[in-house]
Structures are given as C-alpha cells and as structure tokens.
Amino acid sequence: MPIEDVIQKVTQNNPNADLQLLKRAFAFASEAHVGQKRNSGQPYITHPVSVAYILASLKMDMDVIVAGLLHDTVEDTGITLEDIEKNFGSEVAQLVDGVTKLSRLEYRSKEERQVENLRKMLLAMARDIRVIIIKLADRLHNMRTLQYQHEYKQREVSLETLEIYAPLAHRLGIYRLKWEMEDLAFRFSNPEKYYELSNLVASTREKREETINAIVEILKEKMKEVNIKAEIQGRPKNLYSIYTKMQKQQLEFNQIYDVMAVRVLVDTVRDCYAVLGTVHTLWVPIPGRFKDYIAMPKSNMYQSLHTTVVSPQGGPLEIQIRTWEMHRTSEYGIAAHWRYKEGVGKEGDLDRKLSWLRQILDWQEDLKDAREFMEGLKLDLFDDVVFVFTPKGDVMEFPAGSTPLDFAYRVHTQVGHNCVGAKVNDKIVPLDYVLKNGDRVEVLTSKQSRGPSRDWLKIAKTSQAKTKIRQWFKKEHREDNIARGKESLEREIKKFGLEPEAIKSDQLLEQCKKMNLASLDDLYAAVGDGIVSAASLVNKLREKESRENRRKIISDGLEELLQLSETRSLSSWGKPTHGIRVRGVDNVLIRLAHCCNPVPGDDIVGYITRGRGVSIHREDCPNVEPMLDEPERLVEVAWDEDFHSPFQVHLEIVGADRAGLLNDIMAILTDLKISANWVTARGRKDNTGVVEIILNIKNKEQLDYLISRISRVQNVYSVHRRGQA
C-alpha cells in the first residue's frame, strides 16, 4: 500500500492535518527498515504503512498514525526511543514504547514472555488507550498477510488473536476490527470448518437476502407512516460468530436463523423506542429476547435496542435499533470517544468506561504464575457481563456466572475474607447463587469469620476473587507447611543413614533455582504442601553427589593416562573421520557411543574396540570408568573444528505432571529451529512427568543454551542427557 493512500485518508478525515509530519515519519521509517523484507517478499515498510492506513480509517489523530508508521523501528532496527522522541516528540515515543515487545529480555518460557509483553501492553493502555488501538491495527494487518507464515505459526498467531486480541477489540467496542480478526483467525486455525461454513453461507445467501429485503421494505413503509426518519439495512453475521453459536448450542447450520439481522438507524433516542413499539405491532416479540443496551450500555460503550421477533417466514429475526452516534460507537468503539477528542473534562467518564482494565491491572499485580495470568485474562476478556447494584444503588459489572463471593472481593479483600453470607434483593441466598442483571447485592460479614474455605475456589468466578483466596491460604498455612516440609526432608535423609547436615544448604538452593523458587523457605513450603516430593528431592541430591564423585574418579584417571600417551610416539593428529581426529592414526573406523551421545564441544576420549574401530565417549560417561583398567586401548581424540553436521542427543526432562508441559518444551524447539527425531512423554506415580526427546544438535554450545531454556520452563525440575548417571 502506498503512503499516498494514507495521506488521502487522513486528508479526508481532517483537511487541516499536518501532512509534513506524516511524510517525515514515512521517510524516517523507510530509511530505518531499508533492506528488510516481509515473508511475502515485499519491502518491510509496506507493513507500517498498512498499519497507518488502518489507524487513519479509524479516524485516529496524527500522533497515533505517526506512531503506527514507526511502531516496529525500535524493535526491529537500530533506532532507539530517544531517536523517536528527538524527531517526533515524547507523546509519539511513549506510544511506540507501549507497543514494543520486551523481546530483548530472557524468560523462563515462551508463555512467560507472552505474559510479560501483555502486562506491559496493559499498563501502557492504562496510561494511554491509543496504545492498544495501534497494537490491534498491527495485529489485523499481520492476520491479513498470515498466509506467508508457516502452518504452525499461522495456527499459533490465530489462536492468540482469538484468545486475546479479538476479545480486547470487543472490550473496546471496535467491532470493525474484531469481526475481521475473528474471521481471519478462524480461516487459519480451522481452515476445514471455515471453508465448509463459508460455502454453506454462500449457497443460501440469495434466499436469505430476498427474505431480508422483503422485511426491510415492510419496515421502510411503516416508518413513513409513523413519520420517523430511518435508514434500514440488513446485517450479515461474521462466519466466526455463526460457528461459535453452532458449537455452543450444538446446532447444525440449517438450524441457525439469525445468520442475518436487520438494523434500524435513527436520529434520536426517542425515535429508537418509537421504532421498537412499531416493530412489536408488526411482528410478535419472542419473550426474554429483548435487551435494552441504551438504558444499560455494555462495558465497551455499546448502545442499542435488540429485539427478536417471529418473522413472516416463521423463524426468529433479530432487529437492532440505534442512533447514528451509537452506530459510530459500535463501529469504532473507544476510538470514537478517547479523551483526546472529548477534552479534559471527559477523563473521568473515560476512566469509568475502562474500569474493567483497572480491575485486570489490580489483580494481575498479585499473580506471578504465567499460566494463571493467561487463564484469568482470557476469562475476564471473553465472558459476557451482568450488571448488579450495591445497597447504595451504584452499578457494578461482573462476568456472567459470577456469585456473591465475586461481589464481596470486588468491594474489598477483607470483606471477601470475612464474608459469611449474602442477600440478593433482600433475600438471603447461598454463596454459589449466580448473579443476574439488576440484582441488588449485600454482603454479610463477621469479624469472627474463620476465613475462606477451599470450596470458595470452585464458587468464585472472577480471577480477582480466586487470586485473593489462594493468597490467603498460602499466607495462612505457610509456617505450617515450612515446618512440615523440613520434617519430611529430614525423615527422608535419615532413611539413607545420613544426618540432615549431610545435605548442604547450597545444594538445596541450587534445587530452588531449578524449580523457580525464591528461597529455602519456599522449597520447604512446597514440600510441606505436597507440591514437591521429599523423596524425589533427596534422590536428586544423592544422584548429583554420586555423579560428581564418579566424574572426579574418571577425570583423574584420564588425566594420568593422557599424560602417558604424550610420551608415546603418536605425535601427529590423523585425518578427520565423521568430525573426529585420532592422535597418530589415519582412516580408522569411528563410532559415536550411544550410551552418552557426545556432541562437538564435549570433552571426549577414544576406546579401541575389538573389530569396531574407535568408540568415542564423553569423559563423564559412566562406561569410561571400567576402561581405565585397559589403558593400552585408550587413545587421545579431538573434534575437527571444520565439521558441522548435526549430532543426535537424547534429553530427559522431569517436571510437574501438568497439562501443557510438552507444548512448552516443543515451543522452545520451534523457536530455536531444532528438529526432534523422537519424542515421548509419560506420567509417574509421584505426580511428576517425564519427557524424552532425541534431537539433532550442532554443538555443545547450542545444547547448553537449549538445556538452559528448558530448565526455565515453569515446573521443570531437571534436564539431563541420557547416559549421564
């Protein structure tokens, strides 16, 4: 897309716009991205220009459009935020910073990196809502060009879009972006279903349009009769919303009646209700299917009247009635109402509209677990909402399915902890009562309350309430768990005839680091709470000590033997075979031992076998120790620096037996472009899981980095090469 299209769109929306600033930003971005290409083969600059065009279509201000042009410069080029600020001002620099990923930091897992980027984005949103509008425009254009990515990447990006970005667009009311992102993500994440549904919709389009056109004509005639100026149009549903309805309600396509709806646009709110009355005189309304989002707007500022009537053909027909201003808000959402257009006097109103964002920021500060954060964020973004009243008449918004417990914790953490019951509409209800629209809720508390019950975690719906309940249990029982954990470890150590002092604190601290625990007390608490097995922990410590002792014996023996070999007449190195050189020997058969699978960079030793040439072992291989009894058969070997073929390595990974462990590990392999030849995973009785992988590795440096990455995955306890004792 040429920059001229952006200039034309900007001029169309704002004839007085500073086009020189826009052209200067384009020149700056073009120079920064020079030589870079997209996967499609197009120059990289086409992406930021397309993002700027989407932002211009949303009628955003010039700072946002300029930030859209520059949004990838800090992340993908040598440009710094200081450069942006110097050339385009602090406001543009802050917007660019808000959408720049934290990609230069290391995280324990891919999921943790995603969480930290989302946290940064949410905080930037809280300071300036325009940040997320740039990010949504960026994601939309990436979805439009997703066909140039690998199939795995297409699915990964599509699922993230459906789980995070489309719900964010929904929360902000920007349906224009939401619907297109959903359909594109549906197409790439589930192409079979997408094209099947697309063909079904296309095959019935003509008949549906005839029906809708007939209804539109009836409504137009009726509006003339009652003297209401209105525009009436058919509105097709996007494919993804049809698909989700079919899935949720277990329906076939021919059972979906609202593939299209009718929308009536009028000038005033008064006309909206007049049209509603007129519609109900024409067709019978279906009970329970009327929603007044004008009197009670959605949290994303959406306003409209929705009614479902029995159509002339006998099926249900949804009719939406709204003013033109409401329609603009439904298309552009927060982009139509942000503070920079409304003025300073409206800031408080914007803050109220973004109260859901404040709530997410409040509870996410208490969450350290990446998986829990993601689950909570998806829950809070996805769910429909209910509106309830406090005893004073204030309105509070909750995800559908919320209970009085969620209400109590929203009021205050201590109110939640001391909750002993609740009243809804002046009647006492159980704590698992599901709140409904319009309920008036009052929390009953007692200072003598014993605090939360474990069952509350099943009753609470919101992430905020669940997090506060979990924190209470951790804090309340921490001292008991620490004491219990210490006792368990001491008991387990004594089983092996050792004294507790035999296990040194630095060994335990090393295990803490591997398990992502901050201190010894955290380790003891995890043992006391049953999260970590005392037996498996002591076994790891004993295995490590035994391995180190064996390595020392082997290392000392080899050093002595290699000193002897230097006195031999084998002074020169032979020609390399399969990446290995043998001192003083050419054209010898070389075999890499499968018991330890050495890779370039490992310290190695050669052993002359009977009839199978020289077997190459790692120095720390347990099978080297018996070879010390036959020193005449040991030879000095070394890696050939010019050999670059991959070597096979067998890794064993032990961690908590949790869903997603294997996916997290495979994501790292994909990220590092390392291929796996064989993978297996199994659970064990002690609630740990074991993943074994055979990989193609270039050298020890790559292997060490891979092991380091996998070790930082959540709940991974150990990573080692098979053959290592």
Side-chain angles (χ1 to χ4, degrees):
M1 175 176 292
I3 189 64
E4 287 73 23
D5 288 358
V6 180
I7 292 170
Q8 184 181 353
K9 181 62 74 173
V10 169
T11 307
Q12 181 183 324
N13 295 332
N14 181 9
N16 300 318
D18 184 357
L19 298 180
Q20 288 308 311
L21 177 65
L22 185 65
K23 291 173 182 176
R24 192 155 53 85
F26 171 70
F28 187 92
S30 297
E31 186 177 345
H33 291 295
V34 69
Q36 293 180 347
K37 299 269 188 186
R38 298 273 286 172
N39 284 352
S40 61
Q42 290 185 309
Y44 194 90
I45 191 63
T46 58
H47 170 62
V49 168
S50 298
V51 170
Y53 183 82
I54 293 168
L55 293 169
S57 301
L58 292 173
K59 302 183 180 179
M60 300 305 294
D61 63 28
M62 185 58 76
D63 281 343
V64 176
I65 297 168
V66 167
L69 277 170
L70 304 172
H71 78 277
D72 273 339
T73 53
V74 174
E75 192 173 320
D76 295 336
T77 75
I79 301 298
T80 65
L81 283 172
E82 289 74 21
D83 296 329
I84 302 287
E85 185 171 358
K86 181 181 174 183
N87 286 278
F88 301 98
S90 59
E91 201 163 307
V92 171
Q94 286 173 15
L95 290 169
V96 171
D97 184 38
V99 294
T100 300
K101 291 178 185 174
L102 301 168
S103 54
R104 293 172 190 177
L105 300 178
E106 275 197 21
Y107 297 103
R108 286 187 288 271
S109 67
K110 185 173 184 177
E111 187 170 50
E112 184 178 291
R113 183 172 69 243
Q114 182 190 30
V115 164
E116 291 309 318
N117 282 323
L118 282 168
R119 276 187 167 132
K120 180 188 176 188
M121 187 178 71
L122 290 171
L123 287 167
M125 277 173 65
R127 290 192 297 268
D128 192 330
I129 195 63
R130 297 176 299 174
V131 165
I132 189 57
I133 298 174
I134 298 170
K135 189 64 186 174
L136 291 174
D138 172 49
R139 177 51 61 108
L140 177 58
H141 184 253
N142 282 332
M143 293 303 300
R144 287 175 177 173
T145 56
L146 199 58
Q147 68 268 28
Y148 299 108
Q149 296 282 5
H150 291 299
E151 204 170 305
Y152 173 83
K153 191 71 174 175
Q154 289 177 359
R155 180 172 171 77
E156 181 184 52
V157 173
S158 296
L159 291 176
E160 185 184 49
T161 299
L162 290 174
E163 291 177 347
I164 302 295
Y165 291 99
L168 267 172
H170 170 77
R171 274 292 199 166
L172 296 169
I174 313 175
Y175 289 100
R176 175 180 283 203
L177 302 190
K178 172 185 182 281
W179 290 327
E180 187 178 353
M181 278 196 289
E182 282 181 341
D183 278 358
L184 287 168
F186 178 31
R187 172 185 157 195
F188 288 109
S189 63
N190 196 343
E192 187 178 332
K193 288 291 182 186
Y194 173 85
Y195 287 111
E196 179 186 333
L197 189 56
S198 178
N199 291 334
L200 285 169
V201 169
S203 66
T204 59
R205 180 177 289 121
E206 190 175 334
K207 185 178 179 182
R208 275 197 326 275
E209 286 178 351
E210 283 178 14
T211 302
I212 291 295
N213 289 338
I215 290 167
V216 166
E217 288 304 314
I218 294 170
L219 276 172
K220 280 181 179 177
E221 288 300 317
K222 197 66 179 177
M223 291 303 106
K224 284 180 185 176
E225 282 181 30
V226 296
N227 200 27
I228 294 176
K229 184 183 175 185
E231 181 172 313
I232 304 162
Q233 52 192 224
R235 182 188 71 82
K237 276 200 169 184
N238 67 317
L239 290 177
Y240 184 70
S241 65
I242 297 171
Y243 174 72
T244 52
K245 184 168 187 176
M246 290 169 62
Q247 294 297 109
K248 283 180 182 177
Q249 299 182 20
Q250 296 294 299
L251 298 173
E252 295 295 326
F253 177 74
N254 57 14
Q255 296 174 290
I256 302 286
Y257 289 97
D258 57 346
V259 173
M260 287 191 75
V262 171
R263 180 183 294 142
V264 182
L265 301 173
V266 294
D267 293 331
T268 67
V269 172
R270 183 179 177 179
D271 287 345
C272 289
Y273 288 99
V275 171
L276 177 70
T278 304
V279 166
H280 286 176
T281 63
L282 284 170
W283 300 292
V284 177
I286 297 175
R289 296 293 298 273
F290 168 64
K291 294 172 184 173
D292 188 344
Y293 294 120
I294 293 179
M296 194 73 78
K298 290 186 178 183
S299 58
N300 59 15
M301 302 173 301
Y302 177 85
Q303 288 185 288
S304 189
L305 296 176
H306 289 197
T307 186
T308 305
V309 298
V310 179
S311 72
Q313 287 70 33
L317 170 71
E318 185 184 70
I319 298 177
Q320 300 172 355
I321 308 161
R322 64 180 71 142
T323 66
W324 284 99
E325 181 62 26
M326 292 172 191
H327 182 57
R328 189 169 76 95
T329 299
S330 76
E331 291 285 303
Y332 298 105
I334 200 78
H337 288 275
W338 79 96
R339 68 187 69 190
Y340 308 94
K341 279 189 176 179
E342 294 190 338
V344 177
K346 296 284 187 176
E347 286 191 14
D349 187 42
L350 183 77
D351 288 341
R352 180 181 59 77
K353 291 167 183 173
L354 295 175
S355 60
W356 61 272
L357 175 58
R358 312 287 176 200
Q359 290 155 19
I360 288 176
L361 290 174
D362 284 344
W363 66 256
Q364 66 90 21
E365 285 179 4
D366 300 320
L367 283 179
K368 304 300 180 193
D369 184 272
R371 189 172 296 278
E372 195 175 336
F373 175 86
M374 288 300 292
E375 287 172 358
L377 182 63
K378 291 170 191 174
L379 180 76
D380 283 7
L381 287 178
F382 256 129
D383 277 357
D384 291 330
V385 296
V386 294
F387 298 94
V388 299
F389 295 94
T390 68
K392 292 182 179 179
D394 295 327
V395 178
M396 294 179 77
E397 174 195 327
F398 291 90
S402 293
T403 66
L405 268 181
D406 298 298
F407 182 94
Y409 278 100
R410 178 73 60 79
V411 173
H412 194 277
T413 302
Q414 211 52 49
V415 172
H417 290 342
N418 294 336
C419 176
V420 292
K423 282 185 178 180
V424 173
N425 304 327
D426 296 324
K427 293 180 182 178
I428 291 178
V429 297
L431 290 178
D432 61 358
Y433 170 86
V434 177
L435 298 176
K436 298 178 180 63
N437 270 319
D439 280 344
R440 190 173 68 258
V441 187
E442 180 183 351
V443 181
L444 306 176
T445 61
S446 170
K447 289 183 179 178
Q448 282 72 49
S449 166
R450 296 176 62 184
S453 154
R454 289 275 180 190
D455 292 336
W456 286 13
L457 289 168
K458 298 175 184 174
I459 294 171
K461 171 77 173 178
T462 61
S463 305
Q464 181 186 25
K466 288 177 183 285
T467 300
K468 297 297 182 186
I469 294 165
R470 287 193 189 102
Q471 284 178 340
W472 186 89
F473 279 110
K474 283 180 183 176
K475 186 177 178 183
E476 197 70 13
H477 299 301
R478 181 174 170 79
E479 295 303 321
D480 292 342
N481 284 335
I482 289 172
R484 197 181 302 120
K486 278 184 177 178
E487 287 176 17
S488 297
L489 273 176
E490 287 176 4
R491 258 197 322 272
E492 202 61 38
I493 290 167
K494 285 176 181 177
K495 277 185 186 178
F496 296 98
L498 302 170
E499 289 301 316
E501 293 76 21
I503 302 296
K504 296 172 185 174
S505 61
D506 59 339
Q507 293 174 299
L508 289 173
L509 283 170
E510 190 177 335
Q511 293 299 316
C512 287
K513 190 177 178 183
K514 287 182 178 178
M515 296 180 192
N516 301 324
L517 298 171
S519 66
L520 284 178
D521 280 350
D522 288 343
L523 179 63
Y524 295 140
V527 173
D529 200 27
I531 298 170
V532 175
S533 161
S536 65
L537 181 59
V538 173
N539 277 333
K540 282 192 193 83
L541 294 168
R542 290 182 67 247
E543 284 174 8
K544 187 173 186 297
E545 188 175 358
S546 170
R547 187 161 59 244
E548 286 174 352
N549 289 339
R550 188 184 299 115
R551 278 179 179 170
K552 189 172 187 311
I553 292 168
I554 293 170
S555 180
D556 291 346
L558 281 173
E559 189 176 344
E560 185 180 336
L561 288 167
L562 292 176
Q563 283 173 355
L564 285 171
S565 73
E566 288 178 5
T567 65
R568 300 173 185 172
S569 59
L570 307 175
S571 56
S572 62
W573 289 96
K575 292 179 181 178
T577 306
H578 299 305
I580 302 288
R581 291 178 181 270
V582 181
R583 186 183 283 277
V585 181
D586 273 339
N587 299 322
V588 65
L589 180 64
I590 296 292
R591 186 175 64 87
L592 296 178
H594 292 302
C595 54
C596 56
N597 291 317
V599 297
D602 281 332
D603 293 327
I604 51 175
V605 63
Y607 178 74
I608 301 171
T609 65
R610 290 183 172 87
R612 291 190 297 170
V614 176
S615 177
I616 308 299
H617 294 260
R618 295 206 319 264
E619 280 190 8
D620 60 356
C621 176
N623 292 327
V624 170
E625 191 174 355
M627 297 174 190
L628 300 177
D629 297 332
E630 299 179 283
E632 71 282 357
R633 297 176 67 179
L634 288 168
V635 290
E636 192 175 356
V637 291
W639 295 103
D640 175 25
E641 292 179 2
D642 297 326
F643 192 78
H644 300 295
S645 291
F647 290 75
Q648 284 200 344
V649 174
H650 190 162
L651 284 186
E652 182 179 270
I653 302 145
V654 180
D657 189 7
R658 65 167 173 86
L661 178 64
L662 181 59
N663 285 341
D664 289 346
I665 293 166
M666 297 308 291
I668 291 173
L669 297 182
T670 303
D671 193 31
L672 298 180
K673 296 181 173 59
I674 295 174
S675 59
N677 298 332
W678 177 82
V679 181
T680 183
R682 64 185 186 278
R684 300 195 298 203
K685 290 181 180 178
D686 62 354
N687 293 324
T688 60
V690 179
V691 177
E692 290 188 50
I693 310 178
I694 295 179
L695 307 159
N696 288 329
I697 294 291
K698 294 177 185 175
N699 50 45
K700 190 171 185 294
E701 185 181 13
Q702 185 186 38
L703 177 63
D704 288 344
Y705 182 65
L706 172 65
I707 290 174
S708 172
R709 285 281 300 271
I710 295 175
S711 297
R712 294 197 294 271
V713 169
Q714 181 192 12
N715 300 131
V716 165
Y717 303 146
S718 67
V719 185
H720 68 260
R721 294 161 68 178
R722 286 297 300 271
Q724 183 175 327

